Amino acid sequence: MQEEIEEFNQTLLNLYFNNLNFLKENHPQIFEKVNKLSDNIEKGIHKEKYSLEYKTEGYFDILNIESNEFIYGFNSYDEADKRANITNFTKHHSLDLLRVEPTTNKFALMGSHGATVHLVDYLNKKIDFENITFSKIYKYIFIGVGVGVHVHEIYKKIDSMNTLIIEPSTELFRLSLFTTDYSIFEQGNKKLFLSIGETEVQREYTLSTFTAYHSYMNYNIKHHLFWIDYEYILDEIIGFYSHNHAGAFSFNSILQVFSRTLEFMHEKENFLQKSLIEEHTPLKNKKVLLISGGPSVDNHIDWIYENQDKFIIICVDVILKKLEKHKVIPDIVVSIDPSHLVAEFFKTEDENFLENSAIIFLSQQDETVLNTVKHLNVYFSQVYYISKKIGYAMSLANVGTFSLAMGLLLDANELYLIGSDAAFEQETGNRYAKDSGHTHVDEHKESEKNENEKNTISFTDVIEVKGNLTDTVKTNRDLFTFKKDYEAFLHTVVNEKEFKAYNLSDGAYIEGLIPLNIEDINIEDSQRKEFNIKEVIDSISINDIDDIDFEDDIKIINRIIKKVTKYKKVKISSKNNFLESKLDIMIWILEQNKIMSSGIFGNIFLKYIELIDIYINFTLNLEQRELNTPKNLAQIRDYWCDSLVDLLKNIKKAVSK
């Protein structure tokens, strides 16, 4: 008996060390995290919260040492079998990333997707949407590992190509290394992604990496939630995919921005240039105050007025009218929205209110907006990497995040944010400060949901989150995306720049910003700013942009159009034949993209192909035989070619201006 116990323990240890070797070779960051935890446990630095227990009934359980309760309390192997049995190849327990019309349950026809709608309309007539079963699961997310046995059993059944395992407790993951062979997830050409002991921001980064890998398979992502305690992670994933999916791509708007940017360059408008910024470091060692449109500006507007001469002030367009009313003159105004409605933000009572300010636009502004500010000091930041001479490109989801990015681009290393709330005013539900360019009142009280609504997630749902200056605040999912935008941006720059950014706002806590009460700012010793903003921004701008000749690129585009048109005449005999021939022409096109002068063409092409291929891959992965007939495949091929030619002609049109 003793010999059997020793042999059993040795088997567990062997698996544990094999897993460590696997992690060391394939996931070194996770290995370091587990190794550090093990050392800290051994040295007594970390007090274990969990213990792996083998029950006399013949199964593993995990004891929560603090509560003296088992996580399972029943046979974990039987439970794993049950979970595997209910796991299937349908859309049950999955995230459907292709937008569907709720009334018909068929694909939504989205005009922003250009000629793709013709393929989608055709597929709507061919697919039996009432009987969706996949031949293979390409992407699977496990949320929580437990003792690991359910992960193993489900994976044996699903055999997913790309697997993401999320476990917020490094200690629990470490225990599962004794029971689960993680190397199986990377056998053959399969890929494993691990999010272990990560913060919310880090989890989102890992999730985006998982999503970007084999992105053409992001039509449906299956998931398994281990226990209800981790439901918040599923909530995060749903929130992420509500904004990050192929359907969010609008090639029409991208080409419009491209064309608009070229117009500004041909008209010799002023664009900020990175090399000049690095030479002059305009905001280095200066106190920079970033004023966004959130309701916390109301609480601090008097303080802003009294101390405006101590800060370089960068504000967003929507807050201009309030600042004018309170006689606060910004040094820099930033604006990114391409809508003509933005012109209203700049219609100040005093038309000369901004005569000593600089206005920095993303290069996508409507002509109405530019006519409104034509008498002022206007500069541009290119959205896409069109001109290499400019040296950078910047495209962000909201203007508040853009103001922070612009401050850092101008080499600010001490920044203070007001109005970056990512939450409504707690008593009234106001989303924006009073007297700003926008008025919007959010539902600010939680409402009861009926049974049908409990499993749905709405952007108007009121949620309670960690506060910036208080323990918690209430916000909604729509506003919460602003917090995500800030955090995603900060995650990309944290290792590139040295700076401190303080959040003075009364809203949600934003990871990467330092919470600070406004009265704790040391401004007594601050000198009065001496700053001629026009001279400063002029010194870091250029208008002689001469690297925007795309004549050779148009020749390449014409070659691709000819090749794709010719592909329509190729005979299609089977699904494999179709996929192989399409892959061949894709490889050829990508080689052509490599010799084009601007990488943006390749990026647009790849995003568009990802969009249309997701619909095709969804269709060809269904257990519906009639979808794979040579006639149907040839028809899908034709729609694929027509859509691609339409895209290429639109690119030609945009670059020919």
Side-chain angles (χ1 to χ4, degrees):
M1 185 67 169
Q2 183 63 32
E3 185 177 332
E4 290 178 356
I5 293 174
E6 290 178 359
E7 185 177 336
F8 179 68
N9 288 336
Q10 189 59 50
T11 300
L12 297 182
L13 282 172
N14 289 341
L15 179 56
Y16 175 77
F17 287 119
N18 286 339
N19 275 322
L20 285 182
N21 287 331
F22 166 74
L23 293 175
K24 188 175 183 179
E25 292 178 10
N26 299 279
H27 302 271
Q29 290 182 326
I30 305 299
F31 168 78
E32 291 297 334
K33 192 174 287 189
V34 172
N35 209 35
K36 184 178 180 180
L37 175 62
S38 298
D39 288 344
N40 288 341
I41 291 173
E42 196 172 318
K43 294 173 183 176
I45 298 173
H46 177 86
K47 185 178 179 181
E48 290 179 275
K49 181 180 178 180
Y50 301 104
S51 172
L52 182 66
E53 306 283 335
Y54 188 73
K55 309 291 284 185
T56 55
E57 295 85 350
Y59 66 89
F60 285 103
D61 206 334
I62 296 173
L63 177 67
N64 185 320
I65 298 171
E66 294 176 355
S67 64
N68 198 34
E69 295 179 346
F70 285 99
I71 285 181
Y72 287 86
F74 44 77
N75 192 309
S76 57
Y77 288 100
D78 290 346
E79 177 68 11
D81 289 339
K82 290 177 183 177
R83 293 183 183 225
N85 286 335
I86 63 173
T87 301
N88 56 42
F89 288 74
T90 69
K91 293 204 293 187
H92 186 59
H93 286 145
S94 70
L95 300 176
D96 194 357
L97 303 190
L98 292 175
R99 292 300 176 256
V100 172
E101 288 288 354
T103 53
T104 64
N105 202 35
K106 296 184 177 184
F107 294 138
L109 300 176
M110 302 177 69
S112 61
H113 293 167
T116 303
V117 295
H118 302 303
L119 169 68
V120 175
D121 186 47
Y122 174 77
L123 296 179
N124 276 342
K125 298 169 184 174
K126 291 293 181 179
I127 296 171
D128 179 4
F129 286 92
E130 299 302 318
N131 296 288
I132 299 296
T133 301
F134 298 112
S135 301
K136 188 166 185 59
I137 301 300
Y138 282 90
K139 295 208 166 188
Y140 202 99
I141 301 176
F142 289 96
I143 307 170
V145 297
V147 296
V149 290
H150 77 280
V151 176
H152 186 263
E153 292 305 310
I154 291 173
Y155 179 74
K156 278 199 308 182
K157 180 176 182 179
I158 292 296
D159 195 28
S160 49
M161 294 296 295
N162 304 322
T163 306
L164 169 61
I165 297 176
I166 302 175
E167 175 50 66
S169 169
T170 306
E171 191 175 334
L172 283 177
F173 176 73
R174 176 178 175 271
L175 292 180
S176 73
L177 299 179
F178 289 93
T179 62
T180 305
D181 181 5
Y182 283 94
S183 68
I184 64 171
F185 296 97
E186 290 200 346
Q187 290 177 354
N189 59 348
K190 296 182 175 66
K191 180 70 174 174
L192 172 66
F193 297 82
L194 291 171
S195 171
I196 308 300
E198 293 186 322
T199 65
E200 182 180 343
V201 175
Q202 291 168 335
R203 272 196 300 274
E204 183 163 317
Y205 180 78
T206 302
L207 182 59
S208 66
T209 305
F210 166 76
T211 306
Y213 190 80
H214 289 171
S215 56
Y216 51 85
M217 290 300 177
N218 289 336
Y219 49 79
N220 185 273
I221 298 179
K222 298 278 283 186
H223 58 78
H224 183 88
L225 180 65
F226 171 62
W227 58 355
I228 198 67
D229 288 13
Y230 287 173
E231 192 170 27
Y232 70 95
I233 296 177
L234 178 57
D235 207 357
E236 291 173 7
I237 294 170
I238 293 170
F240 173 84
Y241 282 119
S242 67
H243 291 85
N244 296 274
H245 56 89
F249 171 71
S250 172
F251 87 95
N252 283 328
S253 62
I254 291 175
L255 291 176
Q256 286 170 6
V257 171
F258 186 96
S259 181
R260 195 81 175 109
T261 302
L262 281 179
E263 286 180 22
F264 295 146
M265 290 176 175
H266 287 309
E267 291 167 3
K268 298 201 176 294
E269 298 285 359
N270 288 312
F271 279 78
L272 304 186
Q273 187 186 47
K274 187 176 182 181
S275 61
L276 289 174
I277 294 171
E278 292 172 344
E279 178 184 341
H280 292 279
T281 60
L283 299 187
K284 189 172 185 179
N285 298 327
K286 293 179 172 63
K287 280 183 166 61
V288 176
L289 181 64
L290 305 176
I291 307 176
S292 291
S296 61
V297 176
D298 290 334
N299 300 328
H300 305 305
I301 190 64
D302 292 336
W303 180 92
I304 294 171
Y305 168 74
E306 292 169 4
N307 296 284
Q308 62 180 303
D309 63 334
K310 305 291 181 63
F311 294 90
I312 305 300
I313 295 179
I314 301 176
C315 78
V316 302
D317 49 10
V318 73
I319 203 67
L320 271 176
K321 295 193 176 194
K322 184 179 186 70
L323 296 187
E324 183 188 23
K325 182 176 181 179
H326 291 270
K327 300 178 180 178
V328 175
I329 301 175
D331 297 287
I332 298 172
V333 183
V334 296
S335 181
I336 68 172
D337 194 331
S339 169
H340 68 280
L341 299 175
V342 172
E344 289 299 316
F345 301 158
F346 288 95
K347 292 179 180 178
T348 53
E349 293 290 329
D350 177 3
E351 66 175 15
N352 296 318
F353 173 63
L354 296 174
E355 63 180 352
N356 294 316
S357 304
I359 302 171
I360 300 177
F361 289 120
L362 272 187
S363 58
Q364 57 187 19
Q365 292 299 315
D366 187 86
E367 187 176 352
T368 306
V369 179
L370 297 181
N371 286 334
T372 304
V373 299
K374 61 185 178 183
H375 62 295
L376 300 174
N377 306 310
V378 172
Y379 306 86
F380 289 94
S381 176
Q382 72 173 350
V383 182
Y384 304 120
Y385 217 110
I386 296 173
S387 168
K388 295 178 182 177
K389 190 173 183 178
I390 288 174
Y392 79 97
M394 187 184 296
S395 178
L396 293 163
N398 71 73
V399 69
T401 310
F402 180 74
S403 70
L404 174 59
M406 187 54 60
L408 292 176
L409 177 69
L410 299 179
D411 216 29
N413 54 350
E414 183 181 350
L415 306 99
Y416 300 84
L417 287 75
I418 291 180
S420 300
D421 295 65
F424 45 70
E425 205 283 322
Q426 300 295 281
E427 296 299 322
T428 64
N430 288 331
R431 179 177 292 203
Y432 298 98
K434 298 172 185 175
D435 304 317
S436 64
H438 266 321
T439 300
H440 184 107
V441 179
D442 286 291
E443 177 58 55
H444 56 290
K445 294 181 180 179
E446 297 179 63
S447 57
E448 290 290 326
K449 288 186 174 185
N450 62 42
E451 287 301 315
N452 292 329
E453 295 173 324
K454 284 183 179 178
N455 293 322
T456 63
I457 291 183
S458 167
F459 286 124
T460 60
D461 285 345
V462 176
I463 54 176
E464 193 170 76
V465 300
K466 180 180 178 180
N468 185 54
L469 300 177
T470 56
D471 290 339
T472 60
V473 295
K474 289 181 180 179
T475 184
N476 60 38
R477 298 186 192 282
D478 190 22
L479 282 166
F480 200 62
T481 61
F482 289 91
K483 163 186 161 71
K484 297 280 192 180
D485 293 338
Y486 275 106
E487 291 175 339
F489 168 72
L490 286 163
H491 187 78
T492 64
V493 299
V494 67
N495 295 320
E496 296 179 4
K497 289 181 174 287
E498 290 187 12
F499 66 92
K500 288 188 176 180
Y502 301 93
N503 193 359
L504 314 175
S505 310
D506 300 329
Y509 170 73
I510 297 173
E511 187 172 329
L513 302 179
I514 305 168
L516 183 68
N517 285 297
I518 204 162
E519 58 268 20
D520 294 331
I521 302 175
N522 180 18
I523 56 174
E524 293 182 4
D525 299 330
S526 299
Q527 296 179 348
R528 183 182 179 86
K529 67 183 178 187
E530 298 292 337
F531 201 72
N532 185 317
I533 190 62
K534 186 177 188 311
E535 289 183 4
V536 170
I537 306 299
D538 279 347
S539 72
I540 59 172
S541 301
I542 59 171
N543 57 24
D544 57 334
I545 301 169
D546 52 11
D547 61 340
I548 49 174
D549 181 2
F550 302 108
E551 192 173 320
D552 290 338
D553 294 326
I554 291 174
K555 293 177 182 177
I556 296 172
I557 291 171
N558 286 333
R559 282 206 302 269
I560 298 174
I561 290 174
K562 186 176 181 181
K563 182 86 169 181
V564 173
T565 303
K566 189 176 180 181
Y567 175 52
K568 287 183 68 173
K569 299 177 182 179
V570 173
K571 185 178 180 180
I572 301 297
S573 59
S574 66
K575 182 170 82 170
N576 287 340
N577 170 244
F578 167 54
L579 293 174
E580 288 172 3
S581 60
K582 187 162 74 72
L583 178 60
D584 287 341
I585 194 171
M586 275 288 299
I587 292 172
W588 181 86
I589 293 173
L590 291 174
E591 289 299 317
Q592 300 301 303
N593 278 325
K594 288 179 182 178
I595 59 176
M596 297 182 81
S597 64
S598 177
I600 188 173
F601 303 128
N603 290 336
I604 293 174
F605 171 77
L606 287 174
K607 290 294 290 183
Y608 191 78
I609 288 298
E610 177 186 324
L611 170 67
I612 194 168
D613 276 4
I614 281 176
Y615 284 102
I616 293 174
N617 292 333
F618 172 91
T619 304
L620 300 186
N621 192 28
L622 293 177
E623 291 281 5
Q624 297 180 20
R625 287 185 181 180
E626 60 276 15
L627 296 176
N628 293 323
T629 64
K631 182 179 179 180
N632 189 58
L633 292 169
Q635 192 69 57
I636 291 173
R637 184 270 318 276
D638 289 350
Y639 279 115
W640 184 84
C641 292
D642 292 343
S643 298
L644 190 50
V645 168
D646 180 75
L647 169 71
L648 294 167
K649 287 182 177 179
N650 276 286
I651 292 177
K652 269 181 62 177
K653 184 178 178 181
V655 303
S656 296
K657 289 187 176 181

